[in-house]
Amino acid sequence: MPPQPHRPEALAWQVFRGSDAIRRGLLTRHQLRGAAWLRLGHDVYADARLDRDHALICRAAILRMPAGSVIAGPSAAYLHGVEHAAGFGDEVHVLVPRAARVGSQGATTVTSPGGARLRSAGGSGSAPRVVSGCTR
């Protein structure tokens, strides 16, 4: 029987920043690569026992957004119980405060208040694609 993976209580059933877990001494870089953790994007990990659904991707995306950001559109509909609104592999829709600076977030599309695309970065692997816009 294989050994039980090391899961600190503070990280069990959570989505978290890998750098925070390492800085707090909860995990090492090597442990983050183990089967106990699911990498959801740059520096964002989750307990591998969590359901792979759109809510998980939303939790991962919001960790990388500036304060005051909110989940919007189909992502918000999913979180409010409309299960067919989005799936695990779908884009996460986020509204960010007008003054916030949002750079490349793995696979991020940033739009201006008028809707013009400012920049886009392609994603890789299981990284969530985040669609963000600015509030008025």
Side-chain angles (χ1 to χ4, degrees):
M1 182 152 64
Q4 290 293 340
H6 173 66
R7 281 193 183 94
E9 185 66 30
L11 301 177
W13 304 102
Q14 300 299 313
V15 176
F16 59 93
R17 301 292 298 252
S19 58
D20 290 342
I22 292 168
R23 187 179 61 255
R24 293 171 52 200
L26 298 171
L27 294 172
T28 65
R29 285 188 189 276
H30 177 72
Q31 288 169 322
L32 276 175
R33 289 189 286 266
W37 311 110
L38 175 64
R39 184 176 186 269
L40 296 171
H42 176 72
D43 195 34
V44 180
Y45 295 83
D47 186 324
R49 299 172 296 181
L50 290 169
D51 291 336
R52 286 168 175 78
D53 59 13
H54 196 67
L56 180 64
I57 298 300
C58 289
R59 289 173 63 188
I62 207 71
L63 276 180
R64 302 205 49 225
M65 292 290 114
S69 298
V70 295
I71 302 294
S75 299
Y78 180 88
L79 295 175
H80 282 281
V82 183
E83 291 185 22
H84 65 276
F88 182 70
D90 292 337
E91 298 175 340
V92 175
H93 293 252
V94 179
L95 294 175
V96 298
R98 176 174 229 149
R101 295 179 56 132
V102 180
S104 176
Q105 302 288 321
T108 305
T109 302
V110 180
T111 57
S112 70
R117 180 174 286 198
L118 301 175
R119 68 187 299 177
S120 178
S124 62
S126 61
R129 177 172 166 77
V130 180
V131 178
S132 56
C134 300
T135 58
R136 293 204 176 264

